[in-house]
Amino acid sequence: MSNDIITKVKFAKSASIPLASVSGATKNSALAAMAQALDSSREKIISANTKDISAAEKLADAGKLSRSLVKRLKVDDTKIDEMIAGVRDVLKFDDPVGKTLSALELDSGLELYQVSCPIGLIGVIFESRPDVVPQIMSLCLKSGNATIFKGGSEAGNSNRAIFDVLVSAIESTEGIPQGAFALMETREEVNEMLKLDDYINLIIPRGSNEFVKYIQDNTRIPVLGHSSGICHVYVDKEADMKKALDVCYDSKVQYPAVCNAMETLLVHKGFAETFIPEMGKKYDAAGVELRCDERSFDILQNSGLLKAIIHAAEEDWKTEYNDLILSIKIVDSMEEAIDHINKYGSHHTDAIITENNTAASRFIDLVDSSSVMWNASTRFADGFRYGKGAEVGISTNKIHARGPVGMEGLLIYKYALLGNGHKVADYVGKNARKYTHKKLKAQLSGKMG
């Protein structure tokens, strides 16, 4: 293993200790400096990104890189504005470190506090999207976590430019330890990072299904993320036509190259004859290829929409297209839709369109996904849109953090027990003292002066 990698990781691990105790005011100063640095370095960042885009276009033309990855790679003034807004939103949040989550009196003068704290050293491995760097760096800084970044080679120039700009701003802020943030740049370093479970506390992968699955299968470090985004919209028999048309269009077409875009449309048989032809026209105008079950194919064929419809195969129900491709199935009941989603979905984001409150409630209860929508686009499943400022990723895990994960996914807790010479021996035996186990409203910070 490269000594350079070990040195960077060890240095970041050491820096994670003092970073955990940096004051909220100091972290906010660093975040403000990050936002300012992004704004004043637009030309440098866009110039670096132009080099990456040019190389990526050639790879895409040669069939060596998907067009969806090329789309995610682009950084322009609008994207930089979004990066700055994300950093400034994180700045507005309260300092999450050192919050008392619960307090319990065990006995008179013996008090137990559960307190939020950083996870430690986080490894972020991502493909294509350079905007991941400011998103996660701002959240990690605010939550007191040191971070190792490893981006894809296709975004190498962009990642380096953004990383250098941000780290220079952070490390010029008095009180921030040096070396808490590091960038890895070669493919070989990914596998080496995955072996460093003695130093790295959490891995966050961002990329394709195959990429995330590879990370999950090749490390002993806990992984926060999802390997696929097979999202569904179910249009119920009691749906409102306009809402159904708007939500289904937005869920697929607004930005198809992302994990929260719809991949399968399920339609109740009682609404299919009127809805599918109208929806088909909108999709046809947007250039969406439709892969249909027998019943939906027949409806679309009879409506005259022939140029972009084909018969769906079994594999289509479990495919994340990340493109203007959509599979469609007519179901006989909401229960069939729920069963289909739980069988073929990736537990990411699924929606129901209905005016029936009881049906919506049942759908939300029974669909086993990290986000479930009612009369709203699946595209809302996003950390920024959920008010988290930015997100570290979307997790389909059922432990630690789930759904669009913001700062809360970068925090854990510790217990602080405050006593006055208390000893366990007094609570054992014939005349043992009794625990009171009384909830307290006190904050640990108040007890510590």
Side-chain angles (χ1 to χ4, degrees):
M1 184 176 289
S2 167
N3 287 331
D4 184 51
I5 293 173
I6 288 289
T7 300
K8 281 184 179 179
V9 171
K10 283 185 174 179
F11 204 71
K13 183 67 173 179
S14 296
S16 71
I17 305 302
L19 183 63
S21 63
V22 169
S23 72
T26 298
K27 290 184 287 190
N28 283 346
S29 294
L31 286 163
M34 286 170 62
Q36 179 58 47
L38 286 170
D39 192 30
S40 61
S41 303
R42 291 173 183 266
E43 186 176 340
K44 174 182 177 179
I45 293 168
I46 292 173
S47 175
N49 181 252
T50 300
K51 295 176 185 176
D52 289 331
I53 291 289
S54 177
E57 290 284 3
K58 292 176 183 176
L59 289 173
D61 290 341
K64 297 178 180 178
L65 193 70
S66 71
R67 288 290 172 186
S68 62
L69 280 180
V70 177
K71 289 178 185 177
R72 294 184 185 194
L73 179 58
K74 186 173 178 59
V75 175
D76 53 17
D77 274 316
T78 299
K79 185 65 72 174
I80 292 174
D81 287 341
E82 291 172 0
M83 294 180 193
I84 293 168
V87 173
R88 287 180 172 157
D89 277 341
V90 173
L91 192 157
K92 297 173 188 174
F93 294 157
D94 292 338
D95 186 358
V97 178
K99 297 289 187 185
T100 298
L101 306 177
S102 66
L104 190 70
E105 178 194 86
L106 303 189
D107 194 7
S108 178
L110 185 63
E111 298 177 353
L112 180 67
Y113 294 84
Q114 183 188 32
V115 185
S116 63
C117 63
I119 288 173
L121 177 59
I122 293 172
V124 179
I125 307 175
F126 60 101
E127 289 181 320
S128 195
R129 292 174 58 175
D131 56 326
V132 166
V133 179
Q135 278 182 11
I136 294 186
M137 192 179 292
S138 59
L139 289 167
C140 285
L141 173 62
K142 186 83 174 198
S143 58
N145 289 285
T147 314
I148 303 289
F149 291 90
K150 172 61 184 80
S153 58
E154 71 282 351
N157 293 296
S158 308
N159 292 337
R160 167 55 66 186
I162 295 170
F163 180 85
D164 287 348
V165 164
L166 295 176
V167 169
S168 177
I170 290 171
E171 294 189 348
S172 66
T173 304
E174 187 176 351
I176 301 289
Q178 304 290 299
F181 300 94
L183 180 68
M184 304 292 188
E185 298 188 80
T186 68
R187 184 181 299 273
E188 293 71 30
E189 288 172 321
V190 173
N191 287 329
E192 296 189 10
M193 277 181 68
L194 298 180
K195 298 172 185 174
L196 297 175
D197 51 294
D198 285 342
Y199 302 100
I200 299 174
N201 302 105
L202 180 69
I203 292 283
I204 301 174
R206 300 275 294 264
S208 67
N209 306 357
E210 296 78 12
F211 171 76
V212 176
K213 191 72 166 62
Y214 177 84
I215 300 297
Q216 292 171 332
D217 291 343
N218 287 277
T219 187
R220 291 186 296 183
I221 303 169
V223 177
L224 187 152
H226 67 282
S227 58
S228 61
I230 303 172
C231 304
H232 303 75
V233 176
Y234 163 61
V235 180
D236 187 50
K237 63 182 178 182
E238 295 184 55
D240 174 89
M241 178 64 82
K242 184 178 186 310
K243 290 178 187 177
L245 292 170
D246 287 346
V247 170
C248 292
Y249 187 85
D250 189 83
S251 294
K252 178 76 260 184
V253 178
Q254 194 271 332
Y255 192 10
V258 285
C259 61
N260 58 16
M262 171 177 56
E263 305 293 13
T264 297
L265 172 62
L266 302 172
V267 184
H268 192 284
K269 65 179 181 180
F271 200 67
E273 292 284 351
T274 54
F275 171 70
I276 287 179
E278 293 302 312
M279 193 72 251
K281 290 176 188 175
K282 290 176 70 68
Y283 283 144
D284 187 62
V288 180
E289 176 187 305
L290 303 177
R291 301 186 179 183
C292 308
D293 73 338
E294 288 295 336
R295 289 191 286 182
S296 60
F297 185 91
D298 290 344
I299 289 173
L300 287 169
Q301 187 178 49
N302 292 336
S303 71
L305 286 169
L306 289 170
K307 68 180 181 181
I309 62 170
I310 62 174
H311 288 285
E314 174 69 14
E315 193 63 27
D316 286 306
W317 310 127
K318 32 187 160 172
T319 297
E320 181 180 12
Y321 303 113
N322 287 138
D323 204 348
L324 288 173
I325 303 171
L326 179 70
S327 53
I328 302 180
K329 181 179 182 179
I330 294 175
V331 294
D332 292 333
S333 65
M334 183 177 70
E335 287 68 30
E336 184 183 347
I338 292 169
D339 289 344
H340 181 101
I341 292 168
N342 288 335
K343 177 180 179 180
Y344 293 104
S346 57
H347 311 293
H348 190 296
T349 302
D350 300 288
I352 181 172
I353 313 301
T354 187
E355 297 303 294
N356 186 313
N357 293 28
T358 302
S361 178
R362 184 164 177 77
F363 185 89
I364 289 170
D365 287 344
L366 296 181
V367 169
D368 184 23
S369 296
S370 62
S371 285
V372 187
M373 316 295 196
W374 176 19
N375 290 341
S377 170
T378 59
R379 291 281 291 113
F380 281 106
D382 173 83
F384 177 74
R385 297 184 182 107
Y386 278 16
K388 298 174 183 289
E391 70 180 28
V392 298
I394 293 181
S395 172
T396 53
N397 297 345
K398 287 194 174 183
I399 56 173
H400 176 52
R402 197 178 192 209
V405 179
M407 203 133 46
E408 77 286 351
L410 301 175
L411 296 163
I412 192 62
Y413 54 82
K414 64 175 69 172
Y415 287 101
L417 183 64
L418 310 187
N420 189 24
H422 289 77
K423 57 186 188 294
V424 168
D426 291 338
Y427 297 83
V428 177
K430 186 177 180 181
N431 297 312
R433 293 187 60 162
K434 302 294 184 184
Y435 293 105
T436 59
H437 288 158
K438 183 171 69 176
K439 289 185 179 181
L440 300 173
K441 293 183 179 180
Q443 299 289 306
L444 178 64
S445 56
K447 289 287 182 176
M448 306 303 289

